[in-house]
Amino acid sequence: MNTYIENLNWRYATKKFDASKKVSEKDLENLLEATSLSASSYGLQPYEILVIDNTDIRSKLQPAAWGQSQITEASHLIVLANQSTFGEELVDDYLDNVSETRGVPANDLQGYADFMKSKLMPLSESSKAIWTARQTYIVLGNLLSAAADLKIDTCPMEGFDSAQFNEILGLTQKGLNAAVLVAVGYRSEEDSTQHYKKVRKSKANLITHI
């Protein structure tokens, strides 16, 4: 745990990446494996994870992210895209996976299916989109922590035009929406922000024991 805390103190929102350094395939695979193991409500994972290495595509995306250099200088750009909406198939597909993975008869899962549908299907379209977008932030937290453990630098990014990202990446027709970005790579020695002291609320002001 001491090493984990040290790694969290080491990480920061990297503002300038070393464009000459690439994350190895092995480290990227480990990072994505950890990310895929993130928790989600009911285990439904109503999102997709896009890993963008293509420099041409990232150059097209950069203006839609206010010209931020991390988009093109980082080793990879990860887009966490939530499902814009969903129907009963979200639950059905998940429970088909549960049945196959755990060897549980589908009929035995019907009660759980009905319960999830009773909670999720009545939501308005806007509420569904908000709920799925929130799930991507669970993924984001896990991704940042896993990257720090691998000594990979990251920069979580909300500063972008999601509509433009959706258009460039063809997400809308897939029923997806770009919710949040993560630039992944290695910090540049010229990034002065890496030397800033980490600023957080004191535990006394942040944590309440009841």
Side-chain angles (χ1 to χ4, degrees), residues 38-169:
S38 295
S40 66
S41 291
Y42 303 111
L44 292 173
Q45 296 178 290
Y47 47 75
E48 288 189 19
I49 301 166
L50 287 73
V51 183
I52 305 175
D53 187 24
N54 186 288
T55 55
D56 291 337
I57 293 177
R58 287 201 274 164
S59 293
K60 292 178 181 178
L61 293 171
Q62 189 174 32
W66 308 342
Q68 295 177 85
S69 64
Q70 298 97 311
I71 299 294
T72 54
E73 290 181 350
S75 173
H76 296 79
L77 178 67
I78 296 177
V79 179
L80 303 180
N82 63 298
Q83 291 184 210
S84 302
T85 188
F86 56 84
E88 292 189 356
E89 73 285 344
L90 177 66
V91 174
D92 292 337
D93 289 347
Y94 169 67
L95 290 180
D96 284 346
N97 194 3
V98 171
S99 177
E100 181 179 351
T101 301
R102 297 177 178 171
V104 179
N107 289 340
D108 291 354
L109 301 170
Q110 190 59 50
Y112 189 37
D114 293 341
F115 171 77
M116 285 191 283
K117 290 176 182 179
S118 73
K119 299 301 180 183
L120 295 174
M121 296 308 121
L123 295 176
S124 66
E125 290 301 297
S126 61
S127 294
K128 286 180 178 179
I130 291 170
W131 178 74
T132 57
R134 286 205 305 259
Q135 304 307 306
T136 66
Y137 282 81
I138 301 174
V139 180
L140 173 65
N142 200 38
L143 192 164
L144 298 180
S145 296
D149 203 49
L150 291 165
K151 282 294 191 292
I152 296 172
D153 287 299
T154 54
C155 183
M157 307 174 72
E158 291 184 309
F160 67 100
D161 186 319
S162 59
Q164 291 186 46
F165 264 65
N166 293 344
E167 181 179 353
I168 294 168
L169 296 173

